[in-house]
Amino acid sequence: MALTAAVLLATSLGLAACSSDDSADSSIVTTGGGEPQNPLVPTNTNENMGGRVVDRLFAGLKYYDSKGVAHDELADKIETNDRKNYKITIKPDWKFSDGTPVKAKSFVDAWNYGALGTNAQLQSYVFTPIKGFKEVSAEKPTAQTMSGLKVVDDRTFTVELESPSIDFETSLGYAPFYPLPEAAFKDIKAFGENPIGNGPYKFASNGAWQHNVQIDLVPNPEYKGGRPAKNKGLRFVMYQSFDTAYQDLLAGNLDTLDTIPDSALTSYEKDLGDRAITKPTAQNQKIGIQQNVPHFAGEEGLLRRKAISMAINREQICKNIFNGSRVPSKDFTASTLPGFNGNLPGSEVLKYNPEEAKKLWAQADAISPWSGRFEIAYNSDGGHQAWIEATANSIKNTLGIEAIATAYPTFKNIRDLVNARTIGKAFRYGWQGDYPTMLQFLTSNYYSYSDTNNVDYKSPEFDKLLDDALAAPTLEESYKIVAKAQSLMLKDMSDIPMFEYIANAGRSDKVKKAELAWSGLFDFENIEK
């Protein structure tokens, strides 16, 4: 995601260097976090910092283990003969943390709320495959509920899709598909400030979310699923910088940190010894440019995006800035995902080629001469300054234009501007997998009607290819169609892929077990002190 939808990496505001254990029980796991962009409603949480909390508070029909394998959670049975019509039976006797029962209606009501256009939920695109989504998702809906959802009884509901989907069942552990209690719909904003979930954790108290400081979770005694908490609770501590968080990790004031700062990439393995963690994960980083930025619309914009991509020396940046802990992108997803193809037709636009970059830039100038400067926005609280500055310098030195890195204080600042389409410049963003398929990366970020399509890429041909990939009879056939779709994206240069992650993380000497999951986040439930 959420990099997320993310959409990727840390957000934070105000906590300076301090011991995050000062007021926490020593048995509680303290972990790096940041201020969520929005109240914690699953269908409206599409960024990393909110997502890591939401996934602890709620449980869906399925969950993903640390390797990315999907397991039934609330689902007792998911039955289909055609991958278009589903009968879903949930397990009995599940409760939300307020003691109210989880029913089939809890899922159907939550999904209909998330899809309804007037509710403006950022994750509404996930309901696109369900019959009746178009009628409810418009600015002026002609229906209030999706016709493809039917409650049969307290434990059973049916789902009818518009067409068969090879991804639908796997997606059912993704946050927008979580159930909601009836209390949520009385005041959804207030609910998001103090959520009532059904997951392995719950809010510690009404004051659990201290904005810009921390969020405290404790184990939920009502949870009956396959990922029970093996610790006494989690405290998500919001830092102003990764350097400060890393110093707290070394000092034993922070138990886990999932992003080692650039300044420590050459030393963290020596600093932490067997407590250093390195793992390839399903995360990527990109540069986005919205269509309303001057010089980046139409044919001129296409030429300039390709020129900028080929003006960036990704190999050098990954080596010099990240000490090899990032690798240059070869597509728009991640190489750890099933079906990845590292040799896509058209991928030469992702390789450093100064002469071709200058040629394309000149062709764009023939359409409309370049004016102004090229700015790349980044959030100061996310550890991005060094690579954004190196990227801007590579563009400047290759194309001979003024290119600069432009800092914003927080990730939330940037996300709000990107979502409002008012950022007015290029911006760094990324994605951290929510469920382990390439289609999850592509449908969320590039479907024409996705609310997390940050660059407003709109291509009916691409949409059709994604539809065909979802409807494919086998995974192998789906992978082939996904490759065609990504080749089209390279031709259109929808945005500028930069690199994917070999995650660097660490645990303190107070923690005996902490592993990174497939997505790059910690396997929080299984952290043991």
Side-chain angles (χ1 to χ4, degrees):
M1 102 172 359
L3 291 172
T4 201
V7 199
L8 177 69
L9 295 181
T11 85
S12 64
L13 291 174
L15 197 69
C18 67
S19 169
S20 59
D21 248 2
D22 284 349
S23 59
D25 186 296
S26 62
S27 62
I28 291 175
V29 173
T30 57
T31 188
E35 178 70 5
Q37 183 188 8
N38 298 308
L40 298 172
V41 177
T43 49
N44 204 41
T45 301
N46 74 330
E47 44 76 35
N48 182 292
M49 292 302 155
R52 65 181 63 199
V53 181
V54 163
D55 288 338
R56 316 279 74 79
L57 295 173
F58 291 87
L61 295 167
K62 289 184 173 289
Y63 73 93
Y64 311 109
D65 66 20
S66 62
K67 294 181 174 61
V69 177
H71 302 270
D72 288 342
E73 192 161 30
L74 263 79
D76 191 21
K77 290 184 292 184
I78 300 177
E79 301 170 274
T80 183
N81 294 320
D82 56 6
R83 289 189 288 126
K84 181 181 179 183
N85 294 280
Y86 293 82
K87 180 181 179 183
I88 298 174
T89 305
I90 65 172
K91 293 172 181 174
D93 303 323
W94 269 73
K95 295 180 180 179
F96 290 102
S97 59
D98 66 350
T100 58
V102 181
K103 301 178 180 180
K105 188 174 184 292
S106 308
F107 285 93
V108 171
D109 286 351
W111 298 7
N112 278 321
Y113 176 85
L116 190 61
T118 51
N119 292 330
Q121 298 294 282
L122 290 171
Q123 299 278 59
S124 63
Y125 77 91
V126 305
F127 305 109
T128 303
I130 299 174
K131 188 175 182 180
F133 173 77
K134 292 179 182 178
E135 287 72 27
V136 305
S137 62
E139 289 185 12
K140 295 181 179 179
T142 57
Q144 296 295 301
T145 60
M146 290 180 281
S147 58
L149 295 179
K150 304 289 184 186
V151 175
V152 177
D153 55 42
D154 281 352
R155 289 183 53 207
T156 312
F157 67 103
T158 59
V159 184
E160 182 182 356
L161 306 182
E162 292 284 359
S163 58
S165 171
I166 205 163
D167 233 32
F168 181 70
E169 188 169 343
T170 302
S171 74
L172 292 175
Y174 185 17
F177 292 106
Y178 292 152
L180 291 175
E182 290 184 9
F185 306 107
K186 295 176 182 177
D187 186 340
I188 197 73
K189 185 176 181 180
F191 175 85
E193 293 289 333
N194 188 27
I196 298 166
N198 62 322
Y201 295 90
K202 64 178 183 177
F203 262 25
S205 66
N206 286 338
W209 186 353
Q210 298 179 44
H211 286 280
N212 308 318
V213 178
Q214 65 194 38
I215 294 176
D216 288 342
L217 308 183
V218 295
N220 176 14
E222 300 288 355
Y223 180 71
K224 301 173 63 175
R227 50 186 181 114
K230 293 184 179 179
N231 49 63
K232 297 298 178 65
L234 300 170
R235 170 169 287 180
F236 293 94
V237 184
M238 302 169 193
Y239 281 90
Q240 202 166 28
S241 75
F242 283 125
D243 289 290
T244 304
Y246 183 64
Q247 291 305 313
D248 265 5
L249 183 73
L250 293 179
N253 297 327
L254 186 70
D255 291 323
T256 62
L257 181 64
D258 62 21
T259 303
I260 301 297
D262 298 347
S263 60
L265 286 174
T266 59
S267 63
Y268 84 103
E269 291 178 311
K270 181 180 178 181
D271 293 342
L272 296 171
D274 62 2
R275 295 182 284 112
I277 304 167
T278 301
K279 181 177 182 175
T281 56
Q283 301 170 258
N284 64 24
Q285 193 68 231
K286 301 170 286 187
I287 293 173
I289 309 172
Q290 294 175 340
Q291 297 290 311
N292 59 3
V293 176
H295 295 292
F296 284 96
E299 181 65 18
E300 180 194 357
L302 172 61
L303 291 166
R304 295 203 189 279
R305 289 192 300 275
K306 287 185 174 181
I308 288 167
S309 179
M310 300 177 87
I312 301 169
N313 193 334
R314 294 170 180 80
E315 292 276 0
Q316 187 178 73
I317 292 170
C318 288
K319 178 182 177 181
N320 294 348
I321 304 295
F322 294 112
N323 197 40
S325 65
R326 306 287 187 271
V327 293
S329 290
K330 294 183 177 179
D331 79 338
F332 296 84
T333 67
S335 61
T336 58
L337 297 169
F340 171 82
N341 181 347
N343 296 293
L344 293 170
S347 60
E348 63 272 6
V349 296
L350 303 181
K351 296 177 182 177
Y352 183 51
N353 188 334
E355 293 308 313
E356 184 64 19
K358 293 173 185 176
K359 177 182 174 183
L360 293 170
W361 195 259
Q363 290 176 13
D365 279 345
I367 296 173
S368 178
W370 174 255
S371 59
R373 63 186 181 184
F374 183 70
E375 296 183 61
I376 310 174
Y378 70 95
N379 49 300
S380 297
D381 61 355
H384 301 293
Q385 181 178 354
W387 78 263
I388 291 292
E389 288 182 347
T391 298
N393 283 334
S394 189
I395 295 167
K396 177 182 177 181
N397 293 336
T398 301
L399 298 178
I401 63 171
E402 184 181 3
I404 64 169
T406 301
Y408 287 76
T410 70
F411 180 64
K412 185 181 187 304
N413 295 149
I414 284 188
R415 292 309 311 159
D416 288 345
L417 292 170
V418 169
N419 288 344
R421 301 312 192 255
T422 56
I423 193 158
K425 57 180 68 69
F427 57 93
R428 78 98 214 150
Y429 80 118
W431 197 257
Q432 189 163 24
D434 293 293
Y435 55 92
T437 72
M438 291 189 293
L439 282 164
Q440 197 274 321
F441 277 67
L442 300 178
T443 56
S444 56
N445 285 290
Y446 305 108
Y447 249 145
S448 294
Y449 33 76
S450 170
D451 288 317
T452 51
N453 182 338
N454 292 290
V455 292
D456 300 321
Y457 177 59
K458 300 193 184 302
S459 166
E461 183 182 356
F462 174 78
D463 290 346
K464 175 66 164 54
L465 285 168
L466 284 196
D467 292 342
D468 291 345
L470 287 165
T474 66
L475 285 171
E476 289 70 25
E477 184 62 26
S478 181
Y479 298 152
K480 291 178 183 178
I481 301 171
V482 165
K484 291 180 182 178
Q486 293 208 76
S487 290
L488 177 61
M489 293 169 71
L490 291 166
K491 179 183 176 183
D492 294 342
M493 210 68 221
S494 56
D495 57 7
I496 302 171
M498 285 295 297
F499 48 77
E500 57 178 281
Y501 283 62
I502 300 173
N504 312 109
R507 60 181 174 87
S508 76
D509 56 9
K510 298 176 182 178
V511 175
K512 69 177 181 180
K513 180 185 178 184
E515 297 180 357
L516 285 181
W518 66 277
S519 64
L521 294 176
F522 277 104
D523 183 11
F524 290 105
E525 287 78 16
N526 288 309
I527 297 175
E528 298 180 41
K529 294 201 73 168

